[in-house]
Amino acid sequence: SQQGEEDPQALSIQEGENATMNCSYKTSINNLQWYRQNSGRGLVHLILIRSNEREKHSGRLRVTLDTSKKSSSLLITASRAADTASYFCATADIQGAQKLVFGQGTRLTINP
Amino acid sequence: ETGVTQSPTHLIKTRGQQVTLRCSSQSGHNTVSWYQQALGQGPQFIFQYYREEENGRGNFPPRFSGLQFPNYSSELNVNALELDDSALYLCASSPRGTNVLTFGAGSRLTVL
């Protein structure tokens, strides 16, 4: 079963706008990661945030984590057409840290 | 360094047949995980191998089995194929002690 729930399921914005995706999860976690997938290909790791961190930045990506609400958000600033992809959050719970549990993903479309 | 490579990229089988999917892990990675991704869904954890032994398993029946070889490459075997086994099968490798995964491009299995 899926641990994470991404919201929205699909998002369409204009190039240059910011895109925000949200993820909720159920169990206590060691860390939370975001991955990107282009057109049913392999996933690419974007960023990891540990359970004791609240915010992390990497280039145009900003991730927040609220462990009290069991939720995370991914912000992509100044979006580009090449950002069109599906984005997944993945959690590693405390008991099974090597096993990642993925959400259902947000399908992001950037319109030129 | 080479990434994770999977073969074959596409294959078609009929119900009841058996299939073997192969994966070469990224150089320096000794842990291999397999995921099943149905269309429009997030990846679901099948199992993980470390030191040639299964190191965690998801909610999949015993007809899903695997192997890891001394060079850290891996196989996923599925017996008695069912229509619902149609999916993208993703292999991912990681160094021991981290759950940041490097994914292959996947093997797309269609069961008719």
Side-chain angles (χ1 to χ4, degrees):
Chain A
S1 62
Q2 308 281 163
Q3 148 109 286
E5 297 282 341
E6 274 101 340
D7 170 52
Q9 291 188 339
L11 178 61
S12 181
I13 61 174
Q14 295 300 120
E15 196 166 19
E17 294 180 338
N18 295 340
T20 300
M21 289 157 268
N22 303 296
C23 165
S24 60
Y25 57 92
K26 298 174 185 174
T27 64
S28 297
I29 60 171
N30 276 321
N31 60 56
L32 183 144
Q33 301 176 50
W34 286 89
Y35 286 79
R36 163 191 167 135
Q37 184 178 39
N38 285 78
S39 302
R41 304 285 287 174
L43 283 76
V44 175
H45 176 259
L46 295 176
I47 194 166
L48 177 150
I49 186 166
R50 292 183 172 80
S51 59
N52 62 353
E53 297 176 312
R54 292 296 168 259
E55 187 171 312
K56 201 162 183 180
H57 296 254
S58 177
R60 294 185 294 115
L61 306 180
R62 172 181 170 252
V63 171
T64 62
L65 179 65
D66 187 335
T67 52
S68 66
K69 295 181 179 177
K70 291 188 169 56
S71 67
S72 174
S73 68
L74 171 67
L75 168 68
I76 303 174
T77 60
S79 64
R80 306 166 182 169
D83 294 329
T84 294
S86 292
Y87 292 82
F88 295 89
C89 68
T91 53
D93 67 40
I94 289 173
Q95 290 184 333
Q98 290 281 328
K99 163 190 169 183
L100 287 187
V101 179
F102 287 83
Q104 293 189 329
T106 293
R107 174 68 192 170
L108 175 65
T109 302
I110 308 299
N111 301 303
Chain B
E1 60 181 21
T2 57
V4 176
T5 57
Q6 293 187 241
S7 63
T9 54
H10 296 83
L11 69 167
I12 299 173
K13 294 283 187 178
T14 56
R15 199 169 44 179
Q17 285 189 313
Q18 177 265 343
V19 68
T20 298
L21 308 178
R22 294 179 175 82
C23 171
S24 294
S25 59
Q26 179 166 312
S27 176
H29 289 187
N30 54 16
T31 301
V32 175
S33 303
W34 285 92
Y35 286 81
Q36 179 196 66
Q37 186 179 23
L39 199 61
Q41 302 293 314
Q44 296 237 23
F45 177 74
I46 303 175
F47 43 53
Q48 182 183 87
Y49 278 83
Y50 171 67
R51 287 188 175 178
E52 303 175 49
E53 292 191 357
E54 190 178 285
N55 180 44
R57 187 180 184 92
N59 189 26
F60 281 81
R63 61 190 184 83
F64 285 79
S65 63
L67 285 172
Q68 186 184 31
F69 300 99
N71 66 353
Y72 307 127
S73 66
S74 178
E75 286 183 356
L76 165 65
N77 298 288
V78 187
N79 295 322
L81 284 167
E82 302 177 358
L83 297 179
D84 285 349
D85 296 334
S86 294
L88 181 69
Y89 288 85
L90 295 162
C91 172
S93 70
S94 59
R96 184 65 173 172
T98 174
N99 58 16
V100 175
L101 303 180
T102 300
F103 281 86
S107 294
R108 184 164 296 282
L109 170 66
T110 302
V111 182
L112 302 176

